[in-house]
Amino acid sequence: MPIRIPDGLPAREHLLQEGVRVKTERFADRQDIRPMRIGLLNLMPNKIRTELQMARLIGASPLQVEFTLVRVGGHTPKNTSAEHLLSFYQTWDEIRDQKFDGFIITGAPVETLEFEDVTYWDEMKEIFDWTATNVHSTLNICWGAMAAIWHFHRVPKYVLDRKLFGVYRHHNLVPSSPYMNGFSDDFMIPVSRWTECRAEDVEKVDGLEVLMNSDETGLCIVHERKCNRLYVFNHIEYDSTSLAEEYFRDIDAGIDMQIPHNYFPDDDPKQPPLNRWRSHAHLLFGNWINNMYQTTPYSTDLIGQEEHDPGY
């Protein structure tokens, strides 16, 4: 089934070129099917790039998905035009009375700040609490994962001496988890962060389970079964060139940045990088949507009214 996206969204043409099936809102409204409702709270500076990354993975699902773009109301992005935001985004305050089967909260370029020093932190706290009553399953990514696990469980983040930056080997720790269905025993995933959460802190919290980690970079995915939250600390959703763009951006800005680990062939930035994680990105998002579909109420009005039954 296609992904349903707003009419005119720039990601549409890219998705069609990649073979992802897309429906416009007008066409989807003619079908008497209850679509899965997935919201994206996009905190990334390059919002159009992030929209494409997420839509690409969600659109591979055989289900019809209604994709809603959301932004915080207490922050004005510098890298996205006002016209794009007004055309395709709603503020969280505008959708706070709605229910969603799934909700994605992205990373943000504020990870070295204390959470309380982030200008929109008060709104983020409200959003996290809102997901507990209005969302069936939440996928928190990078800073979004660190912020969520701090908000709900006070698991701290630590600032690193040097950025974890590159493509690292990870391990499937719980093959029986529906989210790890089809994953290899080990695989490569992009990492790009200045901070980390640590396994010893997560292990102190009842109900949190580490699904994936790396010997070199630590935690990658933590699952909270009771509330059906995923905390994903690394960027499995990244494009092939995302790390390269970050690297050249920092070099051009005069930042002493190391070459991304295990990314460019022969560590030569002049060579195009190889994508070693694309299949596992599709697996993770496909597993997330599949499990959501099997466990979410048919009536969206019932979302958040009963304790989540993960179905396994």
Side-chain angles (χ1 to χ4, degrees), residues 2-293:
I3 180 174
R4 171 177 170 169
I5 62 176
D7 295 346
L9 188 71
R12 171 182 167 80
E13 293 305 318
H14 292 281
L15 295 171
L16 290 173
Q17 290 171 12
E18 295 175 13
V20 178
R21 299 181 64 193
V22 176
K23 278 188 187 298
T24 63
E25 291 179 311
R26 288 191 298 272
F27 184 85
D29 284 340
R30 294 187 306 205
Q31 292 189 316
D32 188 18
I33 298 173
R34 146 93 155 90
M36 300 292 291
R37 299 202 68 216
I38 295 179
L40 170 66
L41 180 66
N42 192 351
L43 305 173
M44 294 292 278
N46 189 336
K47 288 189 167 23
I48 294 176
R49 166 59 67 84
T50 303
E51 295 158 14
L52 177 58
Q53 291 170 347
M54 298 300 177
R56 175 187 294 121
L57 296 168
I58 293 170
S61 167
L63 305 172
Q64 184 183 140
V65 175
E66 179 182 316
F67 195 38
T68 302
L69 301 176
V70 185
R71 63 181 178 89
V72 292
H75 176 72
T76 302
K78 298 178 181 178
N79 300 300
T80 305
S81 71
E83 180 182 2
H84 184 83
L85 295 175
L86 289 172
S87 297
F88 303 115
Y89 279 79
Q90 300 177 68
T91 64
W92 169 70
D93 196 55
E94 291 171 333
I95 59 96
R96 65 189 303 168
D97 293 330
Q98 300 179 29
K99 298 289 185 80
F100 291 85
D101 301 291
F103 201 76
I104 302 168
I105 299 177
T106 72
V110 294
E111 61 173 314
T112 58
L113 296 176
E114 296 293 334
F115 294 118
E116 292 77 11
D117 292 336
V118 175
T119 56
Y120 48 86
W121 181 243
D122 287 341
E123 187 172 0
M124 287 301 303
K125 291 190 293 183
E126 290 188 68
I127 292 171
F128 287 134
D129 289 338
W130 168 85
T131 63
T133 57
N134 286 59
V135 176
H136 180 66
S137 182
T138 309
L139 179 62
N140 306 285
I141 298 175
C142 199
W143 180 84
M146 296 182 190
I149 206 168
W150 168 254
H151 176 74
F152 290 114
H153 303 293
R154 286 300 184 263
V155 172
K157 66 180 173 72
Y158 302 87
V159 178
L160 302 169
D161 294 332
R162 195 162 180 81
K163 186 178 184 179
L164 288 174
F165 190 41
V167 181
Y168 294 86
R169 187 170 299 282
H170 286 67
H171 308 295
N172 179 357
L173 301 181
V174 190
S176 60
S177 167
Y179 299 105
M180 295 292 98
N181 184 35
F183 270 75
S184 307
D185 292 335
D186 62 11
F187 36 85
M188 309 301 287
I189 291 180
V191 180
S192 178
R193 49 183 167 84
W194 287 93
T195 54
E196 67 177 0
C197 291
R198 296 175 180 169
E200 56 263 33
D201 295 317
V202 168
E203 290 165 358
K204 297 175 185 177
V205 181
D206 290 338
L208 296 182
E209 181 180 34
V210 180
L211 302 184
M212 184 189 300
N213 75 352
S214 167
D215 295 337
E216 298 170 280
T217 63
L219 292 173
C220 181
I221 297 181
V222 173
H223 179 222
E224 185 173 1
R225 181 169 178 169
K226 181 179 179 181
C227 301
N228 202 23
R229 298 188 187 105
L230 283 176
Y231 306 91
V232 182
F233 299 101
N234 299 331
H235 286 289
I236 198 170
E237 82 285 358
Y238 263 9
D239 294 330
S240 302
T241 59
S242 295
L243 292 178
E245 291 168 7
E246 291 183 15
Y247 171 71
F248 291 121
R249 176 201 64 198
D250 290 345
I251 293 297
D252 290 343
I255 299 173
D256 180 20
M257 182 54 59
Q258 73 269 27
I259 293 175
H261 172 78
N262 198 27
Y263 179 59
F264 295 113
D266 301 321
D267 286 338
D268 181 2
K270 295 180 182 178
Q271 297 193 46
L274 298 176
N275 191 311
R276 300 181 177 90
W277 61 91
R278 183 183 297 111
S279 59
H280 286 90
H282 280 280
L283 273 175
L284 179 63
F285 274 73
N287 290 342
W288 177 58
I289 293 172
N290 182 48
N291 190 62
M292 186 195 314
Y293 173 74

